[in-house]
Coordinates of all heavy atoms in Angstrom, one line a residue:
I138 N -18.0 7.9 -40.4 CA -19.3 8.6 -40.5 C -20.4 7.5 -40.6 O -20.4 6.7 -41.5 CB -19.4 9.5 -41.7 CG1 -18.3 10.6 -41.6 CG2 -20.8 10.2 -41.7 CD1 -18.3 11.5 -42.8
T139 N -21.4 7.5 -39.7 CA -22.5 6.6 -39.8 C -23.4 7.0 -41.0 O -23.5 8.2 -41.3 CB -23.3 6.5 -38.5 OG1 -23.7 7.9 -38.1 CG2 -22.5 5.9 -37.4
P140 N -24.1 6.1 -41.6 CA -24.8 6.4 -42.9 C -25.8 7.5 -42.8 O -25.9 8.3 -43.7 CB -25.6 5.0 -43.2 CG -24.7 4.0 -42.6 CD -24.1 4.6 -41.3
I141 N -26.6 7.6 -41.7 CA -27.6 8.7 -41.7 C -27.0 10.1 -41.8 O -27.7 11.0 -42.3 CB -28.5 8.6 -40.4 CG1 -29.7 9.4 -40.5 CG2 -27.7 8.9 -39.1 CD1 -30.8 9.2 -39.5
W142 N -25.8 10.3 -41.4 CA -25.2 11.6 -41.5 C -25.0 12.0 -42.9 O -25.0 13.2 -43.2 CB -23.9 11.6 -40.7 CG -24.1 11.7 -39.2 CD1 -23.9 10.6 -38.3 CD2 -24.6 12.8 -38.4 NE1 -24.2 11.0 -37.0 CE2 -24.6 12.3 -37.1 CE3 -25.0 14.1 -38.7 CZ2 -25.0 13.1 -36.0 CZ3 -25.4 14.9 -37.7 CH2 -25.4 14.4 -36.4
Y143 N -24.8 11.1 -43.8 CA -24.6 11.4 -45.2 C -26.0 12.0 -45.8 O -26.0 12.9 -46.6 CB -24.2 10.2 -46.0 CG -22.8 9.7 -45.7 CD1 -22.6 8.5 -45.1 CD2 -21.7 10.5 -46.1 CE1 -21.3 8.0 -44.8 CE2 -20.4 10.0 -45.8 CZ -20.2 8.8 -45.2 OH -19.0 8.4 -44.9
F144 N -27.1 11.5 -45.3 CA -28.4 12.0 -45.7 C -28.7 13.3 -45.0 O -29.4 14.2 -45.6 CB -29.4 11.0 -45.4 CG -29.3 9.7 -46.2 CD1 -28.7 8.6 -45.7 CD2 -29.7 9.7 -47.6 CE1 -28.5 7.4 -46.5 CE2 -29.6 8.5 -48.3 CZ -28.9 7.4 -47.8
V145 N -28.1 13.5 -43.8 CA -28.2 14.9 -43.2 C -27.5 15.9 -44.1 O -28.0 17.0 -44.3 CB -27.6 14.8 -41.8 CG1 -27.5 16.3 -41.2 CG2 -28.5 14.0 -40.8
F146 N -26.3 15.5 -44.6 CA -25.6 16.3 -45.5 C -26.4 16.6 -46.8 O -26.5 17.7 -47.3 CB -24.2 15.7 -45.9 CG -23.5 16.5 -47.0 CD1 -22.9 17.7 -46.7 CD2 -23.5 15.9 -48.3 CE1 -22.3 18.4 -47.8 CE2 -22.8 16.6 -49.3 CZ -22.2 17.8 -49.0
G147 N -27.0 15.5 -47.3 CA -27.9 15.7 -48.5 C -29.0 16.7 -48.3 O -29.3 17.5 -49.2
A148 N -29.6 16.7 -47.1 CA -30.6 17.6 -46.8 C -30.1 19.1 -46.7 O -30.8 20.0 -47.1 CB -31.4 17.2 -45.5
L149 N -29.0 19.2 -46.1 CA -28.5 20.6 -45.9 C -27.9 21.2 -47.2 O -27.9 22.5 -47.3 CB -27.4 20.7 -44.7 CG -26.1 20.0 -44.9 CD1 -25.1 21.0 -45.6 CD2 -25.5 19.5 -43.6
I150 N -27.5 20.4 -48.1 CA -27.0 20.9 -49.3 C -28.0 21.0 -50.5 O -27.8 21.5 -51.5 CB -25.7 20.1 -49.8 CG1 -24.7 20.9 -50.6 CG2 -26.2 18.8 -50.6 CD1 -24.1 22.0 -49.9
A151 N -29.2 20.4 -50.2 CA -30.2 20.3 -51.3 C -30.9 21.7 -51.6 O -31.1 22.0 -52.8 CB -31.3 19.3 -50.9
P152 N -31.2 22.5 -50.6 CA -31.9 23.7 -50.9 C -31.0 24.7 -51.7 O -29.8 24.8 -51.4 CB -32.2 24.3 -49.5 CG -32.0 23.3 -48.5 CD -31.0 22.3 -49.1
T153 N -31.6 25.3 -52.7 CA -30.9 26.4 -53.4 C -31.0 27.7 -52.6 O -32.0 27.9 -51.9 CB -31.5 26.6 -54.8 OG1 -32.8 26.9 -54.7 CG2 -31.3 25.4 -55.6
D154 N -30.0 28.6 -52.7 CA -30.0 29.8 -51.9 C -30.7 30.9 -52.6 O -30.2 31.4 -53.6 CB -28.5 30.1 -51.6 CG -28.4 31.3 -50.6 OD1 -28.9 31.2 -49.5 OD2 -27.8 32.3 -51.0
P155 N -31.7 31.5 -52.0 CA -32.5 32.5 -52.7 C -31.7 33.8 -52.8 O -31.9 34.5 -53.8 CB -33.7 32.7 -51.7 CG -33.3 32.2 -50.4 CD -32.3 31.1 -50.7
V156 N -30.8 34.1 -51.9 CA -30.0 35.3 -52.0 C -29.1 35.3 -53.3 O -29.1 36.2 -54.1 CB -29.0 35.4 -50.8 CG1 -28.2 36.7 -50.9 CG2 -29.9 35.5 -49.5
S157 N -28.5 34.1 -53.5 CA -27.6 34.0 -54.7 C -28.5 34.0 -56.0 O -28.2 34.8 -57.0 CB -26.8 32.7 -54.7 OG -26.0 32.7 -53.6
V158 N -29.5 33.3 -56.0 CA -30.4 33.1 -57.2 C -31.0 34.5 -57.6 O -30.9 34.9 -58.7 CB -31.5 32.1 -57.0 CG1 -32.4 32.0 -58.2 CG2 -30.8 30.7 -56.8
L159 N -31.6 35.1 -56.6 CA -32.3 36.4 -56.9 C -31.3 37.5 -57.3 O -31.7 38.4 -58.1 CB -33.1 36.8 -55.6 CG -34.3 35.9 -55.3 CD1 -34.9 36.3 -53.9 CD2 -35.4 36.0 -56.4
G160 N -30.1 37.4 -56.8 CA -29.1 38.4 -57.1 C -28.8 38.3 -58.6 O -28.6 39.3 -59.3
V161 N -28.7 37.1 -59.1 CA -28.4 36.9 -60.6 C -29.6 37.3 -61.4 O -29.4 38.0 -62.4 CB -28.0 35.5 -60.9 CG1 -27.8 35.3 -62.4 CG2 -26.7 35.1 -60.1
L162 N -30.8 37.0 -61.0 CA -32.0 37.3 -61.8 C -32.2 38.8 -61.9 O -32.7 39.3 -62.9 CB -33.2 36.6 -61.2 CG -33.2 35.1 -61.1 CD1 -34.5 34.6 -60.5 CD2 -33.1 34.5 -62.5
K163 N -31.7 39.5 -60.9 CA -31.8 41.0 -60.9 C -30.9 41.6 -62.0 O -31.2 42.6 -62.6 CB -31.5 41.6 -59.6 CG -32.6 41.4 -58.5 CD -32.1 42.0 -57.2 CE -33.2 41.7 -56.1 NZ -32.7 42.2 -54.8
E164 N -29.7 40.9 -62.2 CA -28.7 41.4 -63.1 C -29.0 41.0 -64.6 O -28.6 41.7 -65.5 CB -27.3 40.9 -62.7 CG -26.9 41.3 -61.3 CD -25.7 40.6 -60.8 OE1 -25.2 39.7 -61.6 OE2 -25.3 40.7 -59.6
E165 N -29.7 39.9 -64.8 CA -29.9 39.4 -66.1 C -31.4 39.7 -66.6 O -32.3 39.7 -65.8 CB -29.7 37.9 -66.2 CG -28.3 37.5 -65.7 CD -27.2 37.8 -66.7 OE1 -27.6 38.0 -67.9 OE2 -26.1 38.0 -66.3
K166 N -31.5 39.9 -67.9 CA -32.9 40.1 -68.4 C -33.5 38.8 -68.7 O -33.5 38.3 -69.8 CB -32.8 41.0 -69.7 CG -32.3 42.4 -69.4 CD -32.2 43.2 -70.7 CE -31.8 44.6 -70.4 NZ -31.7 45.4 -71.7
V167 N -34.0 38.2 -67.6 CA -34.5 36.8 -67.7 C -36.0 36.9 -68.1 O -36.7 37.8 -67.6 CB -34.3 36.1 -66.4 CG1 -34.9 34.6 -66.5 CG2 -32.9 36.1 -66.0
D168 N -36.5 35.9 -68.9 CA -37.9 35.8 -69.2 C -38.7 35.8 -67.9 O -38.3 35.1 -66.9 CB -38.1 34.5 -69.9 CG -39.6 34.3 -70.2 OD1 -40.3 33.7 -69.4 OD2 -40.1 34.6 -71.3
E169 N -39.8 36.6 -67.8 CA -40.5 36.8 -66.5 C -41.0 35.5 -66.0 O -41.0 35.3 -64.8 CB -41.6 37.8 -66.7 CG -41.1 39.2 -67.0 CD -42.2 40.2 -67.1 OE1 -43.4 39.8 -67.0 OE2 -42.0 41.4 -67.2
S170 N -41.5 34.6 -66.9 CA -42.0 33.3 -66.4 C -40.9 32.4 -65.8 O -41.0 31.9 -64.7 CB -42.7 32.5 -67.5 OG -43.8 33.2 -68.0
L171 N -39.7 32.4 -66.5 CA -38.6 31.7 -65.9 C -38.1 32.3 -64.6 O -37.7 31.6 -63.7 CB -37.5 31.6 -67.0 CG -36.2 30.9 -66.6 CD1 -36.5 29.4 -66.2 CD2 -35.2 30.9 -67.8
Q172 N -38.1 33.6 -64.6 CA -37.6 34.3 -63.4 C -38.5 33.9 -62.2 O -38.0 33.7 -61.1 CB -37.6 35.8 -63.6 CG -37.1 36.6 -62.4 CD -37.0 38.1 -62.8 OE1 -36.7 38.4 -63.9 NE2 -37.1 38.9 -61.8
A173 N -39.8 33.9 -62.4 CA -40.7 33.6 -61.4 C -40.6 32.1 -60.9 O -40.6 31.8 -59.7 CB -42.2 33.8 -61.8
S174 N -40.3 31.2 -61.9 CA -40.1 29.8 -61.5 C -38.8 29.6 -60.7 O -38.9 29.0 -59.6 CB -40.0 29.0 -62.8 OG -41.2 29.0 -63.5
V175 N -37.7 30.2 -61.1 CA -36.5 30.0 -60.4 C -36.5 30.7 -59.1 O -36.1 30.1 -58.0 CB -35.3 30.6 -61.3 CG1 -34.0 30.5 -60.5 CG2 -35.2 29.9 -62.6
A176 N -37.1 31.9 -59.0 CA -37.1 32.6 -57.7 C -38.1 31.9 -56.8 O -37.9 31.8 -55.6 CB -37.6 34.1 -58.0
G177 N -39.3 31.5 -57.3 CA -40.2 30.8 -56.5 C -39.7 29.6 -55.9 O -39.9 29.3 -54.7
E178 N -39.0 28.7 -56.7 CA -38.4 27.5 -56.2 C -37.4 27.8 -55.1 O -37.4 27.2 -54.0 CB -37.8 26.7 -57.3 CG -37.3 25.4 -56.8 CD -35.9 24.9 -57.4 OE1 -35.5 25.6 -58.3 OE2 -35.3 24.0 -56.9
S179 N -36.5 28.8 -55.3 CA -35.5 29.1 -54.4 C -36.0 29.6 -53.1 O -35.4 29.4 -52.0 CB -34.5 30.2 -55.0 OG -35.1 31.4 -55.1
L180 N -37.2 30.3 -53.1 CA -37.8 30.8 -51.9 C -38.4 29.7 -51.0 O -38.4 29.7 -49.8 CB -38.8 31.8 -52.2 CG -38.3 33.2 -52.7 CD1 -39.5 34.0 -53.2 CD2 -37.6 33.9 -51.6
F181 N -39.0 28.7 -51.7 CA -39.7 27.7 -51.0 C -38.9 26.4 -50.7 O -39.1 25.8 -49.6 CB -41.0 27.2 -51.8 CG -42.1 28.2 -51.8 CD1 -42.3 29.0 -52.8 CD2 -42.9 28.4 -50.6 CE1 -43.4 30.0 -52.8 CE2 -43.9 29.3 -50.6 CZ -44.1 30.1 -51.7
N182 N -37.9 26.1 -51.5 CA -37.2 24.8 -51.3 C -36.2 24.9 -50.1 O -35.9 23.9 -49.5 CB -36.5 24.3 -52.5 CG -35.3 25.1 -52.9 OD1 -34.8 26.0 -52.2 ND2 -34.7 24.8 -54.1
D183 N -35.8 26.1 -49.7 CA -35.0 26.2 -48.5 C -35.7 25.9 -47.3 O -35.2 25.3 -46.3 CB -34.3 27.6 -48.4 CG -35.2 28.7 -48.2 OD1 -36.1 28.9 -49.1 OD2 -35.1 29.4 -47.2
G184 N -37.0 26.4 -47.2 CA -37.9 26.1 -46.1 C -38.1 24.6 -46.0 O -38.0 24.0 -44.9
V185 N -38.4 23.9 -47.1 CA -38.6 22.5 -47.2 C -37.3 21.8 -46.8 O -37.3 20.8 -46.0 CB -39.1 22.0 -48.6 CG1 -39.1 20.5 -48.6 CG2 -40.4 22.6 -48.9
G186 N -36.2 22.2 -47.3 CA -34.9 21.6 -47.0 C -34.6 21.7 -45.5 O -34.0 20.7 -44.9
I187 N -34.8 22.8 -44.9 CA -34.6 23.0 -43.5 C -35.4 22.1 -42.6 O -35.0 21.5 -41.6 CB -34.8 24.5 -43.0 CG1 -33.7 25.3 -43.6 CG2 -34.7 24.6 -41.5 CD1 -33.9 26.8 -43.5
V188 N -36.7 21.9 -43.0 CA -37.6 21.0 -42.3 C -37.0 19.5 -42.4 O -37.0 18.8 -41.4 CB -39.0 21.0 -42.9 CG1 -39.9 19.9 -42.3 CG2 -39.6 22.4 -42.6
I189 N -36.6 19.1 -43.6 CA -36.1 17.7 -43.8 C -34.8 17.6 -43.0 O -34.6 16.5 -42.3 CB -35.9 17.5 -45.3 CG1 -37.2 17.5 -46.0 CG2 -35.2 16.1 -45.5 CD1 -37.0 17.4 -47.5
F190 N -34.0 18.6 -43.0 CA -32.7 18.6 -42.3 C -33.0 18.4 -40.8 O -32.3 17.6 -40.1 CB -31.9 19.8 -42.5 CG -30.8 20.1 -41.6 CD1 -29.5 19.4 -41.8 CD2 -30.9 20.9 -40.5 CE1 -28.5 19.6 -41.0 CE2 -29.8 21.1 -39.6 CZ -28.6 20.4 -39.9
T191 N -33.9 19.1 -40.3 CA -34.3 19.1 -38.8 C -34.7 17.7 -38.4 O -34.3 17.2 -37.4 CB -35.3 20.1 -38.5 OG1 -34.9 21.4 -38.9 CG2 -35.6 20.1 -37.0
I192 N -35.6 17.1 -39.3 CA -36.1 15.7 -39.0 C -35.0 14.7 -39.0 O -34.9 13.9 -38.1 CB -37.2 15.4 -40.0 CG1 -38.4 16.3 -39.8 CG2 -37.6 13.9 -39.8 CD1 -39.4 16.2 -40.9
L193 N -34.1 14.7 -40.0 CA -33.0 13.8 -40.1 C -32.0 14.0 -39.0 O -31.4 13.0 -38.5 CB -32.4 13.9 -41.5 CG -33.2 13.4 -42.7 CD1 -32.4 13.7 -44.0 CD2 -33.4 11.9 -42.6

Side-chain angles (χ1 to χ4, degrees):
I138 303 177
T139 51
I141 192 169
W142 287 106
Y143 292 112
F144 294 97
V145 171
F146 171 74
L149 69 88
I150 207 68
T153 58
D154 184 59
V156 179
S157 299
V158 175
L159 293 170
V161 176
L162 296 181
K163 289 177 183 178
E164 298 167 5
E165 302 290 335
K166 294 181 179 180
V167 182
D168 178 275
E169 291 184 358
S170 296
L171 180 56
Q172 182 172 331
S174 297
V175 176
E178 185 219 350
S179 69
L180 288 170
F181 286 104
N182 72 7
D183 65 302
V185 173
I187 290 172
V188 172
I189 296 172
F190 168 82
T191 303
I192 294 169
L193 290 174

